[in-house]
Amino acid sequence: MTDQAAIRHRSNTSGLRDLYLRHARWLSARLRQLGVESPEDVVQETYLRIAPYQARGEVRYPKSLLLRIATNLVAEEGRRSQRQRLHAETTLAFNDTASQTEAVLLKQLVLKLPQPERDIFMLSRFGSLTNEQIASRLEVSVKTVERRISRALKQVDAQLRR
């Protein structure tokens, strides 16, 4: 950095610091009046955004510019929060619809199974019964239960691949 550039940099930095010291409390109070939850964060971001204007010597009405930048930041954050909320709601609605669609599809697939396989499949997958409990309830062998579950799974799989 040349000597002249270093002098300009120090001058710009001290100018921004002076600007901050003169107006930060005022800006924070104004933001609190507007209902901003964390005005100090907005004030910090505001001074980051005003730095280029200050460096070029373009700040003629500092309070106006500071307040304009700060209110734009607050509005931008509000829009971002709203977009995130909308995205979350849309995702939930989509997932609910997808779950409902999957449930309907599964029901259709299960209803297409022959009665003996359907009964055993329902008891196994949705009734949470063991093969032994199903065999006892339906008065068939455990081997028959296993065979019918296997056939039901193959038929459901075949229908899903179509």
Side-chain angles (χ1 to χ4, degrees), residues 5 16 18 21 28 30 32 35 48 56-57 66 69 79 84 108 120 123-125 128 133-136 138 157 161:
L16 185 60
D18 292 342
L21 292 173
S28 185
R30 291 288 288 152
R32 263 192 218 90
L48 289 174
R56 292 189 303 260
L66 287 167
I69 291 171
R79 287 189 299 271
Q84 287 173 342
Q108 290 172 346
I120 290 177
L123 290 171
S124 173
R125 296 301 187 251
S128 301
Q133 291 169 325
I134 295 169
S136 173
L138 298 179
D157 185 52
R161 291 181 188 266

Side-chain angles (χ1 to χ4, degrees), residues 16-64:
L16 185 60
R17 188 173 55 84
D18 292 342
L19 185 67
Y20 180 84
L21 292 173
R22 272 194 312 251
H23 302 295
R25 245 188 271 155
W26 167 83
L27 183 58
S28 185
R30 291 288 288 152
L31 291 170
R32 263 192 218 90
Q33 288 174 345
L34 295 173
V36 174
E37 289 181 24
S38 53
E40 291 76 20
D41 292 342
V42 176
V43 168
Q44 290 294 323
E45 183 66 26
T46 299
Y47 277 92
L48 289 174
R49 301 260 176 117
I50 202 171
Y53 297 101
Q54 181 69 18
R56 292 189 303 260
E58 297 174 1
V59 181
R60 292 176 57 190
Y61 303 101
K63 284 185 172 182
S64 281

